[in-house]
Amino acid sequence: MSDHSVSLSRWLIEQQRTHGQIPGPLRLLIEQVARACKRISHAVTRGASSGVLGSLETENVQGEVQKKLDVIANDVLLEANEWGGHLAAIASEELERIHPIPHRFPRGEYLLLYDPLDGSSNIDVNVTIGTIFSVLHLDEGVEQVQARHFLQPGRCQVAAGYCTYGPQTTLVLSLGQGVCAFTLDPEQGSFVLTQENLRIPAATQEFAVNMSNMRHWAPPVRRYIDECLAGSEGPRGKDFNMRWIGSMVADVHRVLQRGGVFMYPWDRREPDRAGKLRLMYEANPMAMLVEQAGGMAVAGATRILDIQPTELHQRASVMLGSRDEIERLRLYHLEAQAGAPA
Ligand code: AHM
Ligand code: MG
């Protein structure tokens, strides 16, 4: 770390003191989340050498087999965040119900939601995974926090971010005033500001989607991908490239770095399920980051951040990234709704 580098702690203090952009308790909450991410990064890095790879015999609320590291990451985040006095309750992909802060600790005014380790299928194969988090404000005057207090549209988030555990450990954060990235300096053990004001280019020729599901998608999504695949000979008149890492954090990180489209759309095998990804701790925080970086995030014709949640673990269709492409996808959905040929 050079003498001129800015640590996450210093950056947060400056946001609070100089720019008045965040209240003190929110600053301390973000510091606690970052501390937990460092610990998770350490566990992920040690991998097989410390016996943390592989699955458990348990399933989470979504009916998915839990990996050992899913549970470790969840416990680390829970323990790091429950005693600080900044939170009223926590919700996690790995916990069926919300976790109100125990009475032995002071209660704060924020709600924290997270996917402790996104990209579970990549844990055991040494491919980038990450933690995704979202922070909401608890309404005033609430005595006993319940799941319904979490059911706020994504536009109400006061902070959102993720931390990738890959070749580098990188924390990407928005407090509603743009997006910054901090890289973990393993020697110093601290996150250092490495990118300010991340911007997603409006134009792109790259998309990320699990193509094996194509035959199950709705017509507007198939239309969009068909046109991309037709390349320079098709209606788009240009060739596209495809990437699919299989960890949303890693795919979205690429989109934030160089543009692109990331999608996990609804598919007709489970018509009653809006999508695979979870709205409140996957889609919403990523949508906030992408919008804050000048991109767009939609579920078909609807802005993701405007979806009114009805359940903590509800799913969403997700299409996000470079503005020109996501706007095109949104228009294809609107045209299909209006009955135009899709
Ligand atoms: P997880 O939270 O259980 O890891 O599931 C979400 C992940 C995303 O990170 C990723 O985009 C998607 O599932 C990959 O799905 P698929 O295996 O269908 O490609
Ligand atoms: Mg996930």
Side-chain angles (χ1 to χ4, degrees), residues 82-199:
E82 66 175 4
W83 53 266
H86 326 302
L87 285 173
I90 294 171
S92 163
E93 176 179 321
E94 302 300 332
L95 298 174
E96 182 175 359
R97 296 173 199 286
I98 65 160
H99 176 86
I101 296 304
H103 291 305
R104 62 183 184 280
F105 299 123
R107 199 184 92 164
E109 55 188 303
Y110 293 103
L111 304 171
L112 174 67
L113 301 94
Y114 47 74
D115 176 355
L117 211 48
D118 177 60
S120 298
S121 68
N122 281 329
I123 291 176
D124 294 343
V125 293
N126 200 3
V127 170
T128 299
I129 47 183
T131 298
I132 309 173
F133 61 92
S134 160
V135 183
L136 294 166
H137 200 264
L138 177 66
D139 289 341
E140 273 170 35
V142 174
E143 287 288 318
Q144 207 154 24
V145 191
Q146 293 171 4
R148 66 185 164 84
H149 298 116
F150 282 80
L151 303 182
Q152 305 175 27
R155 61 173 182 273
C156 298
Q157 291 171 106
V158 294
Y162 63 78
C163 186
T164 61
Y165 313 116
Q168 298 112 40
T169 293
T170 306
L171 183 86
V172 175
L173 177 67
S174 179
L175 304 169
Q177 311 277 342
V179 182
C180 289
F182 302 84
T183 304
L184 183 64
D185 177 334
E187 280 168 25
Q188 301 289 333
S190 58
F191 281 104
V192 177
L193 179 65
T194 41
Q195 284 177 298
E196 274 183 292
N197 197 19
L198 278 168
R199 302 304 293 168

Side-chain angles (χ1 to χ4, degrees), residues 32-290:
Q32 271 319 111
V33 172
R35 220 163 276 152
C37 290
K38 270 190 245 176
R39 264 183 244 152
I40 297 169
S41 172
H42 192 62
V44 169
T45 305
R46 294 182 71 197
S49 72
S50 62
V52 294
L53 300 189
S55 301
L56 297 165
E57 286 182 357
T58 48
E59 285 187 352
N60 65 12
V61 57
Q62 343 269 340
E64 300 158 344
V65 173
Q66 288 181 303
K67 300 276 184 186
K68 287 185 198 168
L69 270 172
D70 281 327
V71 174
I72 292 170
N74 186 59
D75 290 349
V76 166
L77 279 156
L78 210 58
E79 281 163 24
N81 283 292
E82 66 175 4
W83 53 266
H86 326 302
L87 285 173
I90 294 171
S92 163
E93 176 179 321
E94 302 300 332
L95 298 174
E96 182 175 359
R97 296 173 199 286
I98 65 160
H99 176 86
I101 296 304
H103 291 305
R104 62 183 184 280
F105 299 123
R107 199 184 92 164
E109 55 188 303
Y110 293 103
L111 304 171
L112 174 67
L113 301 94
Y114 47 74
D115 176 355
L117 211 48
D118 177 60
S120 298
S121 68
N122 281 329
I123 291 176
D124 294 343
V125 293
N126 200 3
V127 170
T128 299
I129 47 183
T131 298
I132 309 173
F133 61 92
S134 160
V135 183
L136 294 166
H137 200 264
L138 177 66
D139 289 341
E140 273 170 35
V142 174
E143 287 288 318
Q144 207 154 24
V145 191
Q146 293 171 4
R148 66 185 164 84
H149 298 116
F150 282 80
L151 303 182
Q152 305 175 27
R155 61 173 182 273
C156 298
Q157 291 171 106
V158 294
Y162 63 78
C163 186
T164 61
Y165 313 116
Q168 298 112 40
T169 293
T170 306
L171 183 86
V172 175
L173 177 67
S174 179
L175 304 169
Q177 311 277 342
V179 182
C180 289
F182 302 84
T183 304
L184 183 64
D185 177 334
E187 280 168 25
Q188 301 289 333
S190 58
F191 281 104
V192 177
L193 179 65
T194 41
Q195 284 177 298
E196 274 183 292
N197 197 19
L198 278 168
R199 302 304 293 168
I200 300 176
T204 183
Q205 289 176 227
E206 194 163 70
F207 64 85
V209 66
N210 185 340
M211 287 293 292
S212 67
N213 298 328
M214 184 165 181
R215 67 189 187 285
H216 307 296
W217 296 336
V221 181
R222 283 165 73 167
R223 173 185 174 192
Y224 174 78
I225 293 293
D226 272 338
E227 290 179 1
C228 292
L229 295 179
S232 53
E233 289 118 63
R236 302 297 308 274
K238 58 181 185 179
D239 291 330
F240 280 77
N241 190 23
M242 196 197 94
R243 288 285 183 275
W244 184 248
I245 299 172
S247 300
M248 186 196 204
V249 271
D251 279 310
V252 172
H253 189 64
R254 186 189 55 254
V255 168
L256 278 162
Q257 293 297 321
R258 68 175 187 214
V261 168
F262 168 87
M263 277 199 278
Y264 213 114
W266 170 90
D267 93 40
R268 65 173 179 226
R269 282 170 297 181
E270 290 187 75
D272 297 335
R273 200 173 86 161
K276 174 180 180 179
L277 301 174
R278 276 55 53 129
L279 175 65
M280 300 214 56
Y281 39 80
E282 292 180 321
N284 274 344
M286 292 311 200
M288 176 170 173
L289 290 165
V290 165

